[in-house]
């Protein structure tokens, strides 16, 4: 077997995934949807990149694993699936506590995106190269709710995260306590959620990152009383349809960024200059807001679209950003 063949075999076969009792079975790929690129293509693209990039990487004895389960929620009156990426030392040292990164998926995806997208392989490869510290990565199923409490009060997802998910996950998986050991990240809708939660609750997170965040400065024109388009149904279920401008602004990361106390919060975000949904406009606006307030941040407008190629190329930057900042 050639070096390239043995590499591919190792990284496709030897990763360990555990689905605990009560958890939903793994899907090969999630169904596509608004603001989300095809997961199968993303996975294949990442495998190709890693095959080429790490072709001379020596085999390592220890690898991490992914555990998937669900958390019963009284607030949501249902169980919420989640997956968590555990570092190799999680099982070898039962007394050790770890920093934690909450990673939020895009619209149309689910809690398994770190596995079926190939991002988990990226984490393992970076760790084996010594480019990532050992930390937990938790990915809850956010549905299509943008990680906020919905206008109609039927989906109190932000309350669920703050009051149930964060405390339960951190206790169960030995997360190290304190703001310095907690960070949040996201892609597309998840980028919106990560920035919103970090700007709304900056005392909880040491750092935040977002790729191609769904930042929309003005109310979308397709949200109207007579609109019944798929986008209107999705966004209307969260923000109201017709939308409430006050509620929209209250939950906008762009509006929050103008007044929130962000001292000590490290901020990274990027977007493609040809983003299919025009999110580069919102990203550029956020950069201008933070710059005008002299709030330190790292922003990049890279060549690219809202697609697997773009995410695969830039995901390592956010992972390394948080890893450098963790104790």
């Amino acid at each position: 077997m050639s070096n390239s063949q043995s590499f591919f075999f190792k990284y496709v076969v030897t990763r360990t995934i555990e689905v605990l009792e009560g958890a939903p079975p793994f899907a090969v790929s999630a169904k596509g949807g608004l603001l989300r690129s095809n997961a199968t293509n993303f996975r294949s693209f990442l495998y190709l990149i890693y095959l080429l990039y790490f072709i001379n990487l020596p085999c390592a004895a220890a690898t991490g694993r992914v555990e998937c389960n669900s958390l019963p929620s009284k607030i949501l009156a249902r169980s919420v699936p989640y997956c968590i990426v555990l570092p190799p030392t999680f099982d070898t040292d039962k007394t050790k506590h770890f920093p934690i990164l909450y990673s939020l998926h895009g619209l149309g995806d689910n809690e398994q995106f770190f596995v079926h997208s190939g991002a988990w392989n990226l984490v393992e490869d970076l760790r084996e190269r010594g480019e990532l510290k050992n930390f937990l990565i938790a990915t809850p199923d956010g549905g299509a709710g943008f990680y906020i409490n919905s206008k109609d009060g039927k989906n109190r997802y932000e309350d669920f995260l703050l009051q149930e998910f964060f405390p339960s996950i951190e206790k169960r998986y030995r997360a190290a306590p304190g703001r310095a050991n907690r960070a949040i990240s996201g892609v597309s809708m998840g980028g919106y959620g990560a920035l919103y939660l970090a700007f709304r609750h900056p005392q909880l997170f040491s750092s935040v990152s977002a790729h191609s965040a769904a930042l929309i400065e003005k109310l979308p024109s397709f949200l109207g009383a007579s609109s019944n388009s798929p986008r209107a149904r999705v966004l209307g279920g969260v923000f109201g349809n017709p939308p409430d401008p006050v509620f929209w602004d209250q939950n906008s990361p762009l509006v929050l960024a103008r007044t929130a106390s962000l001292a000590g919060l490290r901020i990274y975000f990027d977007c493609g200059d040809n983003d299919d949904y025009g999110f580069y406009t919102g990203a550029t606006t956020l950069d201008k807001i933070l710059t005008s307030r002299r709030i330190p941040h790292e922003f990049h407008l890279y060549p690219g679209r809202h697609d697997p190629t773009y995410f695969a190329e830039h995901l390592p930057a956010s992972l390394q950003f948080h890893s450098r900042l963790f104790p």
Side-chain angles (χ1 to χ4, degrees), residues 259-303:
T259 59
S261 177
L262 304 179
L265 179 67
R266 304 295 293 272
I267 304 168
Y268 172 97
F269 58 105
D270 63 51
C271 192
D273 62 3
N274 195 28
D275 187 279
D276 298 63
Y277 303 99
F279 292 154
Y280 49 78
T281 301
T284 302
T285 298
L286 179 57
D287 173 52
K288 292 178 180 178
I289 293 171
L290 296 176
T291 299
S292 69
R293 296 187 62 197
R294 298 183 179 179
I295 295 174
H297 64 284
E298 183 177 349
F299 167 60
H300 300 281
L301 191 62
Y302 291 118

Side-chain angles (χ1 to χ4, degrees), residues 6-7 61 65 79 117 131 189 207 215 238 281 288 294 306:
S6 64
F7 169 86
R65 62 184 176 90
S79 291
S117 70
E131 297 178 15
M189 179 189 77
S207 57
L215 298 176
V238 180
T281 301
K288 292 178 180 178
R294 298 183 179 179
H306 199 93

Side-chain angles (χ1 to χ4, degrees), residues 70-84:
S70 60
L71 180 69
S73 169
K74 293 182 179 179
I75 292 174
L76 299 177
R78 59 182 174 85
S79 291
V80 178
Y82 69 86
C83 292
I84 185 165

Side-chain angles (χ1 to χ4, degrees), residues 70-81 149 153-168:
S70 60
L71 180 69
S73 169
K74 293 182 179 179
I75 292 174
L76 299 177
R78 59 182 174 85
S79 291
V80 178
N149 293 336
K154 294 180 180 180
N155 186 35
R156 295 168 49 208
Y157 199 87
E158 178 183 355
D159 291 345
F160 158 72
L161 287 176
L162 298 177
Q163 300 174 32
E164 296 179 329
F165 188 73
F166 292 166
S168 297

Side-chain angles (χ1 to χ4, degrees), residues 182-200:
R182 188 184 301 110
I184 192 164
S185 181
V187 172
S188 194
M189 179 189 77
Y192 173 103
L195 292 169
Y196 165 79
L197 289 165
F199 292 173
R200 175 74 76 185

Side-chain angles (χ1 to χ4, degrees), residues 134-154:
N134 283 331
F135 55 91
L136 310 168
I137 304 175
T139 62
D141 180 11
F146 281 74
Y147 304 94
I148 67 174
N149 293 336
S150 64
K151 174 66 168 61
D152 61 12
K154 294 180 180 180

Side-chain angles (χ1 to χ4, degrees), residues 32-310:
L34 178 67
L35 313 189
R36 176 190 176 261
S37 299
N38 184 274
T40 303
N41 291 338
F42 189 16
R43 176 183 58 191
S44 300
F45 183 83
L46 282 170
Y47 281 162
L48 177 60
I49 287 181
Y50 307 148
L51 177 62
L52 296 174
Y53 185 63
F54 297 108
I55 197 165
N56 294 318
L57 182 69
C59 292
T63 60
R65 62 184 176 90
V66 175
E67 182 174 296
C68 292
N69 203 346
S70 60
L71 180 69
S73 169
K74 293 182 179 179
I75 292 174
L76 299 177
R78 59 182 174 85
S79 291
V80 178
Y82 69 86
C83 292
I84 185 165
V85 179
L86 303 172
T89 50
F90 182 84
D91 293 315
T92 58
D93 186 351
K94 300 293 186 179
T95 65
K96 186 173 178 59
H97 290 70
F98 302 88
I100 185 166
L101 172 65
Y102 293 99
S103 186
L104 309 182
H105 65 76
L107 190 58
D109 216 321
N110 58 34
E111 78 287 351
Q112 300 167 14
F113 84 101
F114 233 76
V115 177
H116 64 53
S117 70
W120 176 31
N121 280 340
L122 168 63
V123 170
E124 290 298 294
D125 294 334
L126 291 174
R127 279 179 177 156
E128 290 173 3
R129 291 175 60 87
E131 297 178 15
L132 281 189
K133 297 175 183 175
N134 283 331
F135 55 91
L136 310 168
I137 304 175
T139 62
D141 180 11
F146 281 74
Y147 304 94
I148 67 174
N149 293 336
S150 64
K151 174 66 168 61
D152 61 12
K154 294 180 180 180
N155 186 35
R156 295 168 49 208
Y157 199 87
E158 178 183 355
D159 291 345
F160 158 72
L161 287 176
L162 298 177
Q163 300 174 32
E164 296 179 329
F165 188 73
F166 292 166
S168 297
I169 292 297
E170 292 177 18
K171 180 179 180 181
R172 177 166 187 166
Y173 295 100
R174 305 197 311 268
R179 180 193 190 197
N181 291 292
R182 188 184 301 110
I184 192 164
S185 181
V187 172
S188 194
M189 179 189 77
Y192 173 103
L195 292 169
Y196 165 79
L197 289 165
F199 292 173
R200 175 74 76 185
H201 309 283
Q203 75 281 4
L204 295 181
F205 306 100
S206 61
S207 57
V208 58
S209 66
H211 300 286
S212 306
L215 298 176
I216 305 173
E217 190 169 7
K218 298 180 180 180
L219 284 171
S221 59
F222 59 80
L223 284 178
S226 61
S227 177
N228 195 36
S229 69
R231 292 186 300 172
R233 288 196 298 270
V234 169
L235 296 180
V238 180
F239 300 99
N241 193 17
D244 179 349
V246 175
F247 181 81
W248 178 274
D249 287 345
Q250 287 174 343
N251 293 278
S252 169
L254 296 175
V255 174
L256 289 172
R258 298 182 187 277
T259 59
S261 177
L262 304 179
L265 179 67
R266 304 295 293 272
I267 304 168
Y268 172 97
F269 58 105
D270 63 51
C271 192
D273 62 3
N274 195 28
D275 187 279
D276 298 63
Y277 303 99
F279 292 154
Y280 49 78
T281 301
T284 302
T285 298
L286 179 57
D287 173 52
K288 292 178 180 178
I289 293 171
L290 296 176
T291 299
S292 69
R293 296 187 62 197
R294 298 183 179 179
I295 295 174
H297 64 284
E298 183 177 349
F299 167 60
H300 300 281
L301 191 62
Y302 291 118
R305 299 176 55 191
H306 199 93
D307 62 10
T309 302
Y310 184 86

